[in-house]
Amino acid sequence: MRFDILTLFPGMFSSPFQESILGRAIQKELVDIRIINVRDFALDKHQVVDDTPYGGGQGMVMKVEPIARAIAWARSEEPSAWTIYLTPQGKPFDQEKARDLSSRPHLILLCGRYEGVDERVRELFINEEISIGDYVLTGGELAAMVMIDAVSRLLPGVLGSAQSAEDDSFTNALLEHPQYTRPFDFEGRRVPEILLSGNHAAISLWRRKEALKRTALRRPDLLAKARLTRKDEELLEEIRHDGDGI
Ligand code: 4FV
C-alpha cells in the first residue's frame, strides 16, 4: 500500500516510520511512504506557499497552486489515488474508517498548516476530509501519522499474528478486556485466577464479560451500537446484578 504525504514539514516524518511494526512493514515493502514537500511545487523565486486571507482576519492560508501541482505529481502514476485532507472539519476517524481505507492501494494525505487550505483545494482535489479528533493541532502531520499507523497495522503481514488485529478494541465495537502478564502478584495485586485455569472457554467468557463491563462503564455509546449476542445480554444482566455500577 502506498501513502503519499503532502506537507510543508517533511522532517517531521523522519523517525516515526523507522521504528517497530511500521519500520518493518516498510522494510518488507508492505507499506511504501513518499514524503512530498509542497514547497517544492511553489515555482516562484521565494517558493511562497501561503498568503493572507481574502476578507481579512488573522493567520495565513495555504495557496492552491503549489498543492494542485503536488497532488498532480502524486497522482501521475495513479490518477485514481484517494486524496484525503486532514482537518478538524472532517468526518471523525475511527476503526471502521481505518479498515475501509486499508482496502485502497494508494492514499494521498494532505497536511494542512496555519488557518488551513484555500477552499478551492477542497472543491477541486479532495475526495474525503477526515478529523482525528475535536481539538486543534498546529498541523495535519501528526494526524497523518495516526492514520498511517491505524491503517497499516490492518494490512496482511504487518502485524505478527493475524489474530491480534481481529480482536482488538473497536473491531467488534467493544473495548478490550483487561490484560495481565508476569508477575502473578504485584504489590499484593494478583492476576485473576481464571486466567491461570487453562480453561479456555471460561477464560474467553471472562474476557467477554470484562469487555462488556468496561464498554458499558466507559463508552455506553459504543455498547449501544454493538451487535450483542444473547449470551452478551445474559452477561450484561449478570454485570448489572453484580452492581458493577452500570
Ligand atoms: C486536525 C485534526 C487539525 C487545524 C489547523 C492544522 C490543524 C492547522 N487535522 N484532525 N484535529 N489540523 O487539528 O486532523 O492547519
Side-chain angles (χ1 to χ4, degrees):
M1 179 171 185
R2 165 168 283 171
F3 296 93
D4 284 332
I5 304 171
L6 273 57
T7 176
L8 290 173
F9 298 96
M12 286 183 67
F13 296 90
S14 52
S15 58
F17 301 138
Q18 309 317 324
E19 303 295 329
S20 179
I21 290 170
L22 262 183
R24 278 197 298 279
I26 292 166
Q27 269 155 14
K28 291 193 283 186
E29 298 185 351
L30 297 170
V31 168
D32 167 27
I33 298 177
R34 296 193 300 187
I35 313 292
I36 299 166
N37 188 341
V38 172
R39 197 178 293 280
D40 295 344
F41 296 85
L43 308 182
D44 59 295
K45 183 153 52 46
H46 303 293
Q47 292 193 300
V48 175
V49 294
D50 61 337
D51 202 341
T52 55
Y54 274 118
Q58 43 99 28
M60 299 292 274
V61 175
M62 289 178 74
K63 291 170 63 64
V64 59
E65 307 99 318
I67 295 173
R69 295 192 199 97
I71 289 176
W73 184 88
R75 284 179 173 168
S76 50
E77 285 149 47
E78 175 113 30
S80 65
W82 190 250
T83 306
I84 295 170
Y85 176 41
L86 286 304
T87 171
Q89 293 137 33
K91 270 202 304 287
F93 185 54
D94 61 12
Q95 192 67 13
E96 194 183 341
K97 177 48 66 179
R99 189 164 293 286
D100 159 37
L101 294 176
S102 69
S103 63
R104 294 182 179 277
H106 185 177
L107 292 180
I108 298 175
L109 307 180
L110 173 59
C111 303
R113 277 277 159 171
Y114 321 122
E115 300 311 309
V117 302
D118 184 293
E119 189 63 14
R120 292 162 289 185
V121 170
R122 301 165 126 130
E123 291 161 1
L124 296 169
F125 306 110
I126 300 301
N127 298 112
E128 189 170 14
E129 297 186 23
I130 296 178
S131 170
I132 64 163
D134 295 343
Y135 40 80
V136 181
L137 303 168
T138 59
E141 284 77 10
L142 294 175
M145 293 180 204
V146 165
M147 180 175 285
I148 290 171
D149 188 289
V151 171
S152 298
R153 63 185 295 284
L154 298 173
L155 299 173
V158 169
L159 287 182
S161 66
Q163 174 59 18
S164 41
E166 288 323 304
D167 65 2
D168 53 43
S169 286
F170 306 109
T171 295
N172 43 27
L174 294 183
L175 300 183
E176 214 164 288
H177 53 75
Q179 296 279 11
Y180 295 87
T181 187
R182 280 175 284 277
F184 171 69
D185 183 315
F186 178 72
E187 295 177 358
R189 289 170 177 266
R190 295 181 164 204
V191 172
E193 296 283 348
I194 184 84
L195 298 178
L196 287 82
S197 67
N199 177 340
H200 297 298
I203 289 169
S204 63
L205 197 61
W206 178 87
R207 285 175 167 171
R208 185 70 177 176
K209 187 173 180 182
E210 289 299 317
L212 287 163
K213 190 190 304 180
R214 180 163 286 189
T215 309
L217 282 169
R218 300 180 187 196
R219 294 291 307 276
D221 59 305
L222 286 178
L223 196 63
K225 63 181 183 186
R227 279 192 311 287
L228 301 179
T229 65
R230 185 185 314 291
K231 185 63 192 166
D232 289 334
E233 299 296 353
E234 282 170 27
L235 290 170
L236 280 169
E237 256 332 287
E238 279 177 33
I239 293 165
R240 292 189 186 97
H241 183 269
D242 305 352
D244 283 318
I246 69 163

